[in-house]
Amino acid sequence: MPIYKAPLREYRFLLNELLDFSQYAHLPGFADAPADLVDAILEEAAKLTEEVLLPLNQIGDREGCKLENGVVTTPTGFKEAYKTLVDGGWPALVADTAYGGQGLPNALGVIFNEMVSSANMAFGMYPGLSHGAYSALSQHGTDEQKKKYLPKLVTGEWTGTMNLTEPHCGTDLGLLRTKAVPVGDGSFKISGQKIFISAGEHDLADNILHLVLARIEGAPAGVKGISLFLVPKFLVNEDGSLGNRNGVSCGSLEEKMGIHGNATCVLNYDEAIGWLVGEEHKGLRAMFTMMNEARLGVGLQGLSQSEAAYQNAVTYALERLQGRSLTGPKAADKAADPLIVHPDIRRMLLDIKSFNEGARALLVWTALHGDLSHRSDDEKTREFGEDMMSLLTPVLKGYFTDRGFMNAVDAQQVYGGHGYIEEWGMEQFVRDARIAMIYEGANGVQALDLVGRKLAQNGGRAVFAFFKTIDDFAAQNQGDEKLKPFVEPLIRARKDLEAATLWFMENALQNADHAGAGSTPYMHLFGVTGLALMWAMMAKAAHERLATLNGGDKAYYETKIKTGRYYMEHVVPETATHLARIRHGADPMMSLAANEF
Amino acid sequence: MPIYKAPLREYRFLLNELLDFSQYAHLPGFADAPADLVDAILEEAAKLTEEVLLPLNQIGDREGCKLENGVVTTPTGFKEAYKTLVDGGWPALVADTAYGGQGLPNALGVIFNEMVSSANMAFGMYPGLSHGAYSALSQHGTDEQKKKYLPKLVTGEWTGTMNLTEPHCGTDLGLLRTKAVPVGDGSFKISGQKIFISAGEHDLADNILHLVLARIEGAPAGVKGISLFLVPKFLVNEDGSLGNRNGVSCGSLEEKMGIHGNATCVLNYDEAIGWLVGEEHKGLRAMFTMMNEARLGVGLQGLSQSEAAYQNAVTYALERLQGRSLTGPKAADKAADPLIVHPDIRRMLLDIKSFNEGARALLVWTALHGDLSHRSDDEKTREFGEDMMSLLTPVLKGYFTDRGFMNAVDAQQVYGGHGYIEEWGMEQFVRDARIAMIYEGANGVQALDLVGRKLAQNGGRAVFAFFKTIDDFAAQNQGDEKLKPFVEPLIRARKDLEAATLWFMENALQNADHAGAGSTPYMHLFGVTGLALMWAMMAKAAHERLATLNGGDKAYYETKIKTGRYYMEHVVPETATHLARIRHGADPMMSLAANEF
């Protein structure tokens, strides 16, 4: 069975040494999370994920979910595990204290979610989607709705879903047909079919709150006629008890490539009673609240599968004896050397390791800035936080999941033929990781969001703030010889990213296809530059610690620096290729007529 | 159900226009393959693959093979399809006429195999492995063995397998334990366990010829004590009839990520009777005959899944209406534009299309040179043919399967959520393609073969001959303005490849890990350069045809040129990144101790 150990040392490094969470102790939420409490939370989360969720990951994959007479049964053990999660109060971690939450920063939330998803991605989607529903309701619901529904989402007694996709409409929500007819008492009757609804029906919770996009009768066509509705599986009485079953049912479960432990449902709405969330015809805006949060959550799924696959591949590479080192036997007393002696095995492992640590830093850094955008007492900090959150969300979603998948593939490759066999669990990481590139907006949509919306917002304020962050770091550390191997590649990457950004600004206005053509290379260029910044910052923090240490944890910081150097030397050079692609513009793609493909 | 149409127009372009097969009409085998006969063969092959094999691809994936009481049953329809293959005489296509073969060039063989594998990769492995067994026996067997066994392999009445891997030994065959004890009458008793044996046991043929690596009692340890044995499933009487069942049985079938239609067996040898093939203790050399051939066959599997996935993705992109073009509606009368209007969708499709056509050209070019290495009447041509075959085999295996897999992933991505659902068949291409990166020597092993063996052979003769081919082309066409967009990037790629080659020559001798560290980037750099050469040659051929055409097939050549330009502009720039990685050498990987991972 695959292993997983929560990378607690990494989290501590990020929270205490790189980002120095103690500096925010005066802010709401942070005040309730002193280092020793955070440490205790991390330890408990590690136990939950390693001991409860991990053992169910392969079971979930093999058994999948079952639909019988409209009832969906989750795999063996999922129900008990979900109860453990609820009993531990985990769904409340970052929820508002007004509804029973602990109100802790989301920077801790993403750390918890990474652990859950590393141990069992399919399971993690149940509470993950609930949190998305929580966010949409808490930001767009009426006070009455919040009071009625949020506490149950916060305890985890109820779960939530997002209902966007229909058979003929995925990315293009303007095409959706599910309709809402006003009943007259403020409620609506919702009818239509939704597909690909994760956690859409299951046996883990007493009730499920479906957040459903639909078109009110007579509403304008296109995205401007879409509204968001809350449709509970069971209607909720005034006293909070459960009433009648609503007119929503699971028509079938999708047979998928992976995440078999999660129930991906076709949901049929047949005059189901629903209530408007937010304003009429402005459902898309409300849904984007959920989507943006979900996108960060999907980005971390990419990281999570990369991390889980990595830990197993390292273990295998250390144990499996096969062949001899190119420079002579390293384990002469054994029949062969362990795989880890081979540079090409190390290349794959370091591609993954250097990504994982860099991506985790960027994830927590971004989530922290998301927290500061709400919680800081300084306006500039709030603005910077909002800018980073908005700018980096598509990068984290797209780059993390593209790389996370490829990393799972590389980790599988370390196993040779054994990686292809189900028993070892490596191919499950690949199959599970694959969906993260697709859902919550396929990665091409993320790239377009980045290039088409996020770059231009507020006159480019966010991207220039990002450049300035790099420039400030470079200026502060340019004289430092020890940091040169980090600062120089960072500056080169930044230069390529800036050149690409300017190229879009100069060319995309006259032909929007130029933006589309370079969008995916740009998203990757951005991701690499973001990780390069994190690695430069981590190297600095590690060098500072090393200067004060004698033995002890020294090895940790030395490894950190070596891993970062690998990233700078082996990964960062790709920025030049991305820039070259972007600069060729749209002609290479658009010169072919549709029938020439 | 996924579609597949054999790309006959592409094959005709390659055979008749790019490579001008008619120039070899005086050579053995080629003489029997005039253009009209080849055309008829291609048409028949297209029918077989599109009508018989394609419909069984998803069935094979879903049903898989079954083992009951030692008997393996292949999926519904496989047995009938195999009979159709045999009745059509297809296994005889490139086999020696002395044993009932048609003796046609292998350049046609790889074309046939690409079609079979595109339609049904798991099925194609049954005849594919037989052909490997045929080659090993025909090159290393005694006359008596050849007479006894080859005709039945050529008709396809019997199939063959390769038995290398054991639980503790994959790449490192020196560790193998299966033992062979001389009986005294020239035969041996073979005992041991082999795993991952493709087509190891099945119901398609009357007999299976297992080619098995084993160690004769008392043989030296390591690879120098390995011999190759022929172990038939049923012993064969003097008169050719089948005798007793031999002591080899299928212990279990592996549960795999893909290629479910092929029976991947654990084979248990319990004093099975076998006969030495080739010399004692020189089994590895004989096995490499099979392996090299198999590697080309696996390389084309990468291409085949890329092609099949591409055809489906294009169809979907043309039909699926979703969103609007960034430059304004293109199908204003419809609810949305087809996906094909989006530059990022085209980017993915053109990444695949430009690879497929370039890779197919390099595959046929390489196979042709393999043919010429045996059949040419000119010594220099034979030598060049041998050099290209030897040099490019690891490139085709490694680069084609890495890219082929990624292309299947991209094609799946075009489908959005539907790509993740089993029904559409796109995720099967991904799962099937994945194995090609692993078996017949994992791609890391191919990269090491290229850098560690193939570069140095005969003092670098092959790689310098490859450079000279590029130089000659560039010199002949440098003044041609129309070819400039091809010649210039080709020269840049060649320069990067040469710089990398020289870097290895200068550095790898003092530290072999430098070769290992850069081997995979080098293999990709080589692959891209090889395809760039093919694209330059194809662009030249297309321009020459265009100059003589008025209407008619003009569009075909124009599309060819546009597709090639995409490759030159979007793919070739990556050579610089590969070179940068190679030049960093082994330190980025080797500076970490094993326990630092």
Side-chain angles (χ1 to χ4, degrees):
Chain A
M1 194 189 78
I3 57 152
Y4 171 67
K5 284 281 162 201
L8 297 185
R9 181 67 184 90
E10 297 302 317
Y11 297 133
R12 289 185 190 120
F13 172 71
L14 294 177
L15 296 175
N16 304 329
E17 304 174 45
L18 186 76
L19 303 174
D20 184 17
F21 259 49
S22 66
Q23 68 184 295
Y24 307 111
H26 60 294
L27 299 179
F30 290 90
D32 306 318
D36 56 343
L37 177 69
V38 169
D39 231 45
I41 292 173
L42 297 181
E43 297 273 0
E44 280 307 306
K47 261 192 227 164
L48 172 79
T49 54
E50 295 169 5
E51 294 170 16
V52 179
L53 303 185
L54 175 68
L56 302 177
N57 194 33
Q58 269 190 312
I59 293 171
D61 184 57
R62 283 175 193 171
E63 290 186 13
C65 296
K66 286 179 188 65
L67 171 67
E68 272 176 330
N69 304 320
V71 177
V72 173
T73 312
T74 53
T76 305
F78 271 46
K79 198 167 172 169
E80 294 73 18
Y82 187 76
K83 187 170 182 311
T84 307
L85 184 91
V86 169
D87 290 348
W90 293 105
L93 195 68
V94 303
D96 196 330
T97 50
Y99 305 106
Q102 297 183 44
L104 296 181
N106 194 40
L108 293 180
V110 294
I111 287 175
F112 175 69
N113 289 340
E114 190 210 330
M115 291 191 233
V116 170
S117 189
S118 295
N120 195 326
M121 179 168 147
F123 178 91
M125 293 168 66
Y126 294 103
L129 284 153
S130 295
H131 194 70
Y134 164 86
S135 297
L137 271 180
S138 75
Q139 285 177 53
H140 302 280
T142 62
D143 285 343
E144 200 193 331
Q145 287 172 340
K146 290 191 217 178
K147 227 179 106 189
K148 189 166 183 179
Y149 298 106
L150 288 183
K152 293 289 193 179
L153 283 175
V154 169
T155 59
E157 287 166 273
W158 299 351
T159 65
T161 71
M162 291 168 63
N163 287 240
L164 290 77
T165 306
E166 299 178 7
H168 58 286
C169 94
T171 300
D172 188 355
L173 292 169
L175 301 175
L176 74 78
R177 293 176 194 154
T178 297
K179 71 175 180 196
V181 181
V183 174
D185 62 353
S187 70
F188 291 79
K189 283 188 175 171
I190 314 288
S191 298
Q193 189 179 62
K194 295 289 181 178
I195 63 169
F196 301 161
I197 308 307
S198 299
E201 175 59 43
H202 56 77
D203 56 357
L204 303 182
D206 298 334
N207 201 5
I208 303 176
L209 304 180
H210 302 294
L211 284 160
V212 184
L213 285 186
R215 198 180 296 282
I216 298 173
E217 252 190 343
V223 290
K224 288 181 182 152
I226 299 173
S227 305
L228 182 65
F229 295 90
L230 170 68
V231 183
K233 174 178 168 184
F234 288 99
L235 297 172
V236 179
N237 299 321
E238 284 309 307
D239 64 356
S241 64
L242 296 184
N244 288 337
R245 178 78 189 242
N246 206 346
V248 49
S249 60
C250 175
S252 63
L253 292 175
E254 301 287 359
E255 300 286 340
K256 311 181 298 283
M257 184 183 193
I259 50 165
H260 295 153
N262 201 278
T264 306
C265 301
V266 173
L267 287 187
N268 295 318
Y269 289 86
D270 184 16
E271 302 203 334
I273 302 296
W275 289 269
L276 192 65
V277 177
E279 294 176 55
E280 276 191 10
H281 312 328
K282 295 204 170 150
L284 215 58
R285 192 190 297 169
M287 199 49 128
F288 264 110
T289 304
M290 264 172 101
M291 290 278 283
N292 269 328
E293 188 146 333
R295 283 173 178 181
L296 214 63
V298 173
L300 74 79
Q301 286 182 336
L303 167 60
S304 76
Q305 297 309 287
S306 180
E307 173 67 27
Y310 173 76
Q311 292 190 14
N312 286 280
V314 168
T315 308
Y316 192 77
L318 290 170
E319 286 172 2
R320 174 80 170 176
L321 304 178
Q322 203 75 186
R324 287 293 184 191
S325 162
L326 297 170
T327 56
K330 298 291 173 282
D333 55 323
K334 302 210 169 106
D337 289 337
L339 288 180
I340 196 85
V341 303
H342 302 299
D344 193 61
I345 295 284
R346 287 167 166 252
R347 173 189 62 77
M348 293 189 278
L349 293 177
L350 276 163
D351 274 349
I352 313 176
K353 178 177 169 64
S354 66
F355 168 84
N356 289 352
E357 295 176 21
R360 186 177 293 119
L362 189 60
L363 172 70
V364 177
W365 188 83
T366 305
L368 169 63
H369 285 294
D371 288 323
L372 294 177
S373 76
H374 304 301
R375 305 186 191 211
S376 176
D377 47 11
D378 173 59
E379 198 195 317
K380 283 242 163 278
T381 304
R382 287 199 302 272
E383 181 186 289
F384 181 76
E386 199 182 297
D387 284 348
M388 290 307 102
M389 191 68 180
S390 162
L391 180 70
L392 291 175
T393 293
V395 176
L396 264 59
K397 199 292 186 175
Y399 179 65
F400 282 21
T401 61
D402 277 356
R403 283 291 351 147
F405 172 74
M406 277 314 300
N407 290 344
V409 170
D410 273 348
Q412 180 189 23
Q413 189 74 13
V414 170
Y415 281 69
H418 297 279
Y420 200 66
I421 304 300
E422 289 177 11
E423 178 189 348
W424 291 80
M426 298 306 287
E427 57 92 43
Q428 186 191 341
F429 294 130
V430 173
R431 289 184 290 102
D432 287 355
R434 183 66 184 89
I435 189 58
M437 297 158 73
I438 298 173
Y439 60 17
E440 306 305 340
N443 285 356
V445 174
Q446 304 301 323
L448 215 53
D449 176 47
L450 175 64
V451 171
R453 293 183 61 241
K454 300 302 174 65
L455 282 191
Q457 258 173 6
N458 303 310
R461 191 180 75 194
V463 70
F464 289 115
F466 181 74
F467 289 141
K468 187 168 179 305
T469 305
I470 296 177
D471 293 341
D472 289 349
F473 182 89
Q476 281 159 27
N477 299 288
Q478 203 129 33
D480 188 332
E481 274 303 307
K482 288 198 302 293
L483 287 181
K484 214 170 149 179
F486 292 88
V487 174
E488 286 188 350
L490 172 61
I491 291 174
R492 275 200 303 279
R494 178 224 180 280
K495 221 170 135 184
D496 287 343
L497 183 63
E498 185 183 52
T501 309
L502 295 177
W503 193 91
F504 284 131
M505 290 181 175
E506 281 161 23
N507 295 281
L509 265 184
Q510 79 198 50
N511 178 1
D513 279 342
H514 283 319
S519 57
T520 291
Y522 186 81
M523 181 175 76
H524 279 256
L525 171 49
F526 215 119
V528 173
T529 308
L531 262 63
L533 171 62
M534 291 301 119
W535 270 118
M537 286 165 50
M538 289 195 285
K540 183 184 164 79
H543 273 301
E544 282 172 0
R545 296 287 291 180
L546 277 173
T548 68
L549 279 176
N550 240 323
D553 228 7
K554 229 170 152 162
Y556 175 80
Y557 300 102
E558 283 163 354
T559 305
K560 183 67 69 188
I561 291 164
K562 290 183 214 171
T563 306
R565 283 197 64 154
Y566 180 90
Y567 194 84
M568 298 323 247
E569 291 172 2
H570 255 255
V571 181
V572 174
E574 76 179 59
T575 60
T577 299
H578 296 310
L579 176 59
R581 285 174 182 157
I582 291 163
R583 281 183 165 155
H584 279 295
D587 291 350
M589 289 87 169
M590 304 314 289
S591 67
L592 279 80
N595 65 4
E596 290 184 84
F597 280 84
Chain B
M1 196 187 78
I3 57 152
Y4 171 68
K5 285 280 162 203
L8 297 184
R9 181 67 185 90
E10 296 302 316
Y11 296 133
R12 289 185 191 119
F13 173 71
L14 294 177
L15 296 175
N16 304 330
E17 303 174 48
L18 186 76
L19 304 173
D20 183 17
F21 259 49
S22 67
Q23 69 183 297
Y24 307 112
H26 59 294
L27 299 180
F30 290 90
D32 306 318
D36 56 345
L37 177 69
V38 168
D39 232 42
I41 293 173
L42 296 182
E43 298 272 2
E44 281 306 308
K47 261 190 230 166
L48 173 77
T49 54
E50 294 167 7
E51 294 169 16
V52 179
L53 303 185
L54 176 68
L56 302 177
N57 194 34
Q58 270 190 313
I59 293 171
D61 183 57
R62 282 174 194 172
E63 289 187 13
C65 297
K66 287 180 187 63
L67 171 68
E68 274 178 327
N69 304 319
V71 176
V72 172
T73 312
T74 53
T76 305
F78 272 46
K79 197 167 174 169
E80 294 73 19
Y82 187 77
K83 189 173 180 309
T84 307
L85 184 92
V86 168
D87 290 347
W90 293 105
L93 195 68
V94 302
D96 196 330
T97 50
Y99 305 105
Q102 298 182 47
L104 295 180
N106 194 39
L108 294 179
V110 295
I111 286 175
F112 175 69
N113 290 339
E114 190 210 329
M115 291 191 235
V116 170
S117 189
S118 296
N120 196 327
M121 178 168 150
F123 179 92
M125 293 169 65
Y126 294 103
L129 283 154
S130 295
H131 193 71
Y134 164 88
S135 297
L137 270 179
S138 76
Q139 284 178 53
H140 301 281
T142 64
D143 286 343
E144 201 193 330
Q145 286 172 340
K146 292 192 218 178
K147 228 179 105 189
K148 189 166 184 179
Y149 297 105
L150 288 184
K152 294 288 192 179
L153 283 176
V154 170
T155 60
E157 289 166 274
W158 300 350
T159 65
T161 71
M162 292 169 62
N163 288 239
L164 289 78
T165 306
E166 300 179 5
H168 57 286
C169 95
T171 301
D172 188 355
L173 291 167
L175 300 175
L176 74 79
R177 294 177 192 154
T178 297
K179 70 175 181 195
V181 181
V183 173
D185 61 355
S187 70
F188 290 78
K189 285 189 173 168
I190 314 288
S191 299
Q193 188 180 63
K194 296 288 181 179
I195 63 170
F196 302 161
I197 308 308
S198 298
E201 176 60 42
H202 56 77
D203 56 357
L204 302 182
D206 298 335
N207 202 4
I208 302 175
L209 304 179
H210 301 292
L211 285 160
V212 185
L213 286 186
R215 199 180 294 283
I216 298 171
E217 252 191 342
V223 290
K224 289 181 180 152
I226 299 174
S227 305
L228 181 65
F229 295 89
L230 170 68
V231 184
K233 173 178 167 183
F234 289 99
L235 297 172
V236 180
N237 300 320
E238 284 309 306
D239 64 358
S241 64
L242 296 184
N244 288 337
R245 179 77 191 244
N246 206 348
V248 49
S249 61
C250 175
S252 64
L253 293 175
E254 301 287 0
E255 301 285 342
K256 311 182 297 282
M257 185 183 191
I259 50 166
H260 295 152
N262 201 276
T264 307
C265 302
V266 172
L267 287 186
N268 296 318
Y269 290 85
D270 184 15
E271 301 203 335
I273 303 295
W275 289 270
L276 194 64
V277 177
E279 292 175 56
E280 277 191 10
H281 312 328
K282 296 204 170 151
L284 215 58
R285 193 189 298 169
M287 199 46 126
F288 265 108
T289 303
M290 265 172 100
M291 289 278 282
N292 269 329
E293 187 146 334
R295 284 173 178 182
L296 216 62
V298 173
L300 73 79
Q301 287 182 335
L303 167 60
S304 75
Q305 297 310 286
S306 179
E307 173 67 26
Y310 173 75
Q311 292 190 13
N312 287 281
V314 168
T315 308
Y316 192 78
L318 290 170
E319 287 172 2
R320 173 81 171 175
L321 304 178
Q322 204 74 185
R324 288 292 182 192
S325 161
L326 296 170
T327 57
K330 298 290 172 284
D333 55 323
K334 302 210 169 105
D337 289 337
L339 286 179
I340 196 85
V341 304
H342 302 298
D344 193 62
I345 294 285
R346 288 166 166 253
R347 174 189 63 78
M348 292 189 280
L349 292 177
L350 277 163
D351 274 348
I352 313 177
K353 177 176 170 66
S354 66
F355 169 84
N356 289 353
E357 295 177 21
R360 187 177 292 117
L362 189 61
L363 172 70
V364 177
W365 188 83
T366 304
L368 168 64
H369 284 295
D371 288 324
L372 294 177
S373 76
H374 304 300
R375 305 186 191 211
S376 175
D377 47 10
D378 173 58
E379 199 194 318
K380 281 244 165 276
T381 305
R382 287 198 302 274
E383 181 185 290
F384 181 76
E386 200 181 297
D387 283 348
M388 289 307 103
M389 191 70 180
S390 161
L391 180 69
L392 292 175
T393 293
V395 176
L396 265 60
K397 199 288 186 178
Y399 179 64
F400 282 22
T401 60
D402 276 355
R403 282 294 346 153
F405 172 74
M406 276 314 299
N407 290 344
V409 170
D410 273 347
Q412 180 189 23
Q413 190 73 14
V414 170
Y415 281 69
H418 298 279
Y420 199 67
I421 304 300
E422 289 178 10
E423 179 189 347
W424 291 82
M426 298 306 287
E427 57 92 44
Q428 186 190 342
F429 295 129
V430 174
R431 288 185 291 102
D432 286 356
R434 183 66 185 89
I435 188 59
M437 298 158 74
I438 298 174
Y439 61 16
E440 304 308 339
N443 285 357
V445 174
Q446 305 300 323
L448 215 53
D449 176 48
L450 175 64
V451 171
R453 293 182 63 239
K454 300 302 174 63
L455 282 191
Q457 258 174 7
N458 303 310
R461 191 178 75 195
V463 70
F464 289 114
F466 181 76
F467 287 140
K468 188 170 178 307
T469 305
I470 296 177
D471 293 341
D472 289 350
F473 182 90
Q476 282 158 26
N477 299 288
Q478 202 128 33
D480 188 333
E481 274 301 307
K482 288 198 301 294
L483 287 180
K484 215 170 147 180
F486 293 88
V487 174
E488 285 187 353
L490 173 62
I491 291 174
R492 274 201 303 280
R494 177 223 181 283
K495 222 171 132 183
D496 287 343
L497 183 63
E498 186 182 53
T501 309
L502 295 177
W503 193 91
F504 284 132
M505 289 179 175
E506 280 162 24
N507 295 280
L509 265 184
Q510 79 200 48
N511 178 1
D513 279 340
H514 283 319
S519 57
T520 292
Y522 186 81
M523 181 175 76
H524 279 255
L525 172 49
F526 215 121
V528 173
T529 308
L531 262 64
L533 172 62
M534 291 301 119
W535 270 118
M537 288 166 51
M538 290 196 284
K540 183 183 164 81
H543 273 300
E544 281 171 2
R545 297 288 289 181
L546 277 174
T548 68
L549 279 176
N550 240 325
D553 227 7
K554 230 172 150 160
Y556 175 80
Y557 300 101
E558 283 163 355
T559 305
K560 184 66 72 188
I561 291 165
K562 291 183 215 172
T563 307
R565 282 196 64 156
Y566 180 90
Y567 193 84
M568 298 322 245
E569 291 172 2
H570 255 255
V571 182
V572 175
E574 76 178 59
T575 60
T577 298
H578 296 311
L579 176 59
R581 284 175 181 155
I582 291 163
R583 281 182 165 157
H584 279 295
D587 291 351
M589 289 88 169
M590 304 314 287
S591 66
L592 278 81
N595 65 5
E596 289 183 84
F597 280 85

